[in-house]
Amino acid sequence: MVYINSMKGNTCCISTDRLNIALYLLSPKRAVMFDSGLPADFKEIKSALDNEGIRPAYIVTSHVHYDHVGNHINFQNAGAKIWQSEFDAGITKDFTALGACFYTERSSALSEDRDFMVYKTDHVFSVDKEQISIEGFDFKILNIPGHAHSQLGFITPDNVAYLADALFDERTLCSKMLFHHDWSEAV
C-alpha cells in the first residue's frame, strides 16, 4: 500500500512498501517530487497522488539508481519536468553512458532490462551551487557521495532533509547488503 504523509509545512512523504519519496507542495495541487520510485510501484504511487489531487510538476533526482528514477519517464510523459545534476544528466542520455557508469553490460541488454533509465533531462544544474530554485522556492543541495557516483540530498524550504539512500532504518540495514560506490566517502 502506498500512502502520503505530511511531514512539516508543505513537505510530504510518499511511502511505499520498499521506499520513501519526498514531495514538496508548490500549491495544493502541484508538487516537486524527489525521485520517482520503482517501476513496479508506479500505479500505486500515481493512484496515491491522484487521490490527493496532486500532480508532480517537477522531479528532482538524488542519484541515478533504478529505484530512484524508475518512474521518471512515466511522470515526464504526464507533464513533469526532470531536474538532474550535470553528472546524472550525462548518465541517462543513452545506454552507452548508462552501461559505462553502472552496469558494464552491453547496451542492447540494458535497453531491454533498464529502458526506463534513459530519458531526456529538462533542466540540468551544477552541484557547485548551494541550491536550486523552482518557481521561487529554494532547495538546498547536499553533496553526499559514497552510495552513488554523485549522490545528492536536498533540504526543502520547510528545513526538511531528503537524503535518499544516505539514511537507512534498522530493518534495511539488517536485511540486505547495501551498494556503495565508495565506502570511504560514505562514512
Side-chain angles (χ1 to χ4, degrees):
M1 172 132 202
V2 175
Y3 52 94
I4 300 174
N5 287 319
S6 178
M7 303 305 287
K8 179 181 176 186
N10 290 338
T11 305
C12 301
C13 179
I14 302 170
S15 296
T16 75
D17 290 336
R18 296 177 272 247
L19 51 88
N20 295 305
I21 302 166
L23 194 68
Y24 182 81
L25 300 175
L26 299 167
S27 71
K29 303 289 182 192
R30 297 176 67 248
V32 174
M33 199 170 163
F34 293 88
D35 296 335
S36 65
L38 289 160
D41 295 336
F42 177 70
K43 288 181 182 176
E44 286 186 279
I45 293 168
K46 176 106 171 58
S47 178
L49 290 165
D50 288 347
N51 288 342
E52 297 294 327
I54 300 170
R55 182 184 63 82
Y58 305 95
I59 299 173
V60 178
T61 307
S62 67
H63 64 291
V64 179
H65 283 168
Y66 70 95
D67 54 333
H68 293 267
V69 301
N71 295 306
H72 277 35
I73 288 176
N74 293 326
F75 285 112
Q76 188 176 48
N77 288 340
K81 302 294 182 195
I82 297 174
W83 284 52
Q84 294 192 130
S85 70
E86 295 163 327
F87 184 83
D88 288 343
I91 294 170
T92 60
K93 71 179 183 172
D94 59 45
F95 290 106
T96 301
L98 184 68
C101 192
F102 291 111
Y103 299 104
T104 64
E105 295 178 26
R106 294 180 333 274
S107 295
S108 60
L110 285 172
S111 66
E112 293 171 15
D113 188 42
R114 304 275 184 211
D115 61 326
F116 58 88
M117 291 183 72
V118 172
Y119 48 83
K120 180 185 175 297
T121 302
D122 297 298
H123 186 86
V124 177
F125 60 87
S126 171
V127 296
D128 294 335
K129 292 185 172 185
E130 292 183 13
Q131 66 187 26
I132 56 174
S133 293
I134 300 176
E135 293 189 11
F137 294 93
D138 296 332
F139 301 89
K140 291 181 186 174
I141 299 172
L142 303 172
N143 287 290
I144 48 176
H147 170 69
H149 289 67
S150 177
Q151 183 167 337
L152 303 174
F154 300 93
I155 299 177
T156 72
D158 296 323
N159 208 28
V160 175
Y162 173 64
L163 304 176
D165 288 336
L167 184 64
F168 300 99
D169 62 17
E170 184 177 354
R171 179 181 60 116
T172 302
L173 286 170
C174 293
S175 68
K176 63 182 177 179
M177 177 63 167
L178 303 170
F179 168 80
H180 270 344
H181 172 64
D182 186 340
W183 282 100
S184 66
E185 289 185 7
V187 178

